[in-house]
Amino acid sequence: MAEQTDALIDLPEPGPRDPAQTEAFVIAMCNQKGGVGKTTTTINLGAALAELGRRVLLIDFDPQGSLSVGLGINPHALEASIYDLLMVRGTDPASLVLNSKILGLDVMPANIDLSAAEVQLVSEVAREHTLSRVIAPLKKNYDVILIDCAPSLGLLTVNALTSADGVLIPLESEFFALRGVAMLTDTISKVQERLNNKLELIGILGTMFDPRTLHNKEVLERVQEAFGEVVFTTKIRRTVKFPETTVAGEPITTYAPRSPAAKQYRDLAREVLARCPAA
């Protein structure tokens, strides 16, 4: 049987960013469930946006440091990380930004030190706005900032949502992954009401999709029924290439540029730009 194809995505090639937009559009990549392709999506969406001419900063906001590893950075060898930016007054945010191998794609790394910030921020004044405050000087240097959130709904994630213009939810094509979506959307609503009224849900992205299984199709159908047009047309399929890219320390768009997975992330980048004119 021939493999079912995804719906065709008919989007115009994005032009240059509107010069009237002088600050980066910030997107929090958020899902409290781990293992849903959040970090993979952050890296590869960032690389695809850079290919389209956007200046992109990836912020690793997960103490596991997976995004840093995925771009060839050893978290254990860092002299300073985003933890220092959050907790050490006077830290220059630009000093923590590292260039990736991809032109136009930079990264602010993290390591296990960041786990201490969750506890230490509790006693800070305006603790939910700490990330927003410390990355503000960087926003003029980029078109898009992607924040790879930790798999939780704790204070770090709330900080990311408070600093963001939009949130993108990667959702694994499994029924168990659906259970946490209501809790996550409730948290987003509370942040919108109490901390950041500009925050919008950009979209829900189906990840780890296998079109050969009825289970995966049924899950995405339920998501589509519940959220409608919020769900991206693009789906990210399962592939053995993604673990290989982590070992290589580079995005799929350069590791296997002609692969279906690379095309899917390029399609996603075009969808994101179509939904977020400010980006």
Side-chain angles (χ1 to χ4, degrees), residues 23 39 82 108 117 138 147 177 199 222 227 230 237 244 276-277:
E23 288 195 339
T39 299
I82 194 169
M108 183 177 288
L138 294 173
I147 305 173
L199 183 66
R222 289 199 181 187
F227 294 96
V230 172
R237 297 189 179 188
E244 293 175 9
C276 307

Side-chain angles (χ1 to χ4, degrees), residues 60 63-70 72-81 109-113:
D60 193 344
Q64 297 177 66
S66 299
L67 182 141
S68 303
V69 172
I73 299 166
N74 181 358
H76 306 295
L78 295 173
E79 293 184 4
S81 69
N111 56 25
I112 194 63
D113 292 347

Side-chain angles (χ1 to χ4, degrees), residues 37 39-41 43-45 70 206-209 235-253 255-256 259-265:
T39 299
T40 298
T41 294
I43 292 172
N44 292 297
L45 172 58
T207 62
M208 303 182 182
F209 178 65
K235 305 178 190 68
I236 308 301
R237 297 189 179 188
R238 290 185 183 274
T239 173
V240 296
K241 293 291 184 185
F242 289 134
E244 293 175 9
T245 63
T246 302
V247 175
E250 62 180 300
I252 192 77
T253 51
Y255 180 79
S259 66
K263 180 184 183 302
Q264 289 154 23
Y265 275 112

Side-chain angles (χ1 to χ4, degrees), residues 12-243:
E13 200 67 21
R17 191 180 191 226
D18 184 350
Q21 301 292 339
T22 57
E23 288 195 339
F25 189 87
V26 182
I27 302 175
M29 314 293 285
C30 189
N31 193 323
Q32 76 272 26
K33 185 179 184 300
V36 300
K38 181 168 45 59
T39 299
T40 298
T41 294
T42 306
I43 292 172
N44 292 297
L45 172 58
L49 288 169
E51 279 189 355
L52 292 171
R54 298 308 192 264
R55 298 168 301 166
V56 183
L57 173 65
L58 306 184
I59 295 180
D60 193 344
F61 215 47
D62 183 349
Q64 297 177 66
S66 299
L67 182 141
S68 303
V69 172
L71 286 171
I73 299 166
N74 181 358
H76 306 295
L78 295 173
E79 293 184 4
S81 69
I82 194 169
Y83 168 82
D84 298 271
L85 186 60
L86 293 172
M87 305 309 306
V88 180
R89 293 190 181 279
T91 301
D92 178 9
S95 70
L96 302 178
V97 174
L98 305 178
N99 300 126
S100 76
K101 301 173 184 176
I102 312 302
L103 182 66
L105 183 69
D106 295 339
V107 59
M108 183 177 288
N111 56 25
I112 194 63
D113 292 347
L114 185 59
S115 60
E118 187 103 44
V119 176
Q120 292 172 282
L121 281 172
V122 171
S123 60
E124 291 286 318
V125 175
R127 56 184 179 269
E128 297 91 351
H129 296 273
T130 304
L131 179 64
S132 179
R133 173 176 52 80
V134 297
I135 66 170
L138 294 173
K139 294 177 71 174
K140 65 182 184 297
N141 300 331
Y142 297 95
D143 301 316
V144 182
I145 295 176
L146 303 180
I147 305 173
D148 185 30
C149 298
S152 74
L153 292 179
L155 188 53
L156 291 179
T157 297
V158 171
N159 259 265
L161 293 173
T162 303
S163 68
D165 299 294
V167 55
L168 191 156
I169 303 175
L171 182 68
E172 184 183 6
S173 305
E174 297 284 346
F175 278 120
F176 283 118
L178 285 173
R179 299 176 62 185
V181 175
M183 188 182 302
L184 176 54
T185 53
D186 181 58
T187 298
I188 292 170
S189 295
K190 289 178 180 177
V191 171
Q192 287 171 324
E193 293 169 7
R194 305 173 188 178
L195 297 167
N196 181 9
N197 59 15
K198 70 179 180 180
L199 183 66
E200 60 177 326
L201 176 57
I202 295 171
I204 297 174
L205 174 69
T207 62
M208 303 182 182
F209 178 65
D210 186 344
R212 299 168 298 179
T213 67
L214 181 61
H215 176 74
N216 278 192
K217 293 177 185 177
E218 288 178 344
V219 170
L220 286 186
E221 284 173 4
R222 289 199 181 187
V223 174
Q224 192 78 50
E225 290 170 4
F227 294 96
E229 293 182 355
V230 172
V231 182
F232 285 105
T233 302
T234 302
K235 305 178 190 68
I236 308 301
R237 297 189 179 188
R238 290 185 183 274
T239 173
V240 296
K241 293 291 184 185
F242 289 134

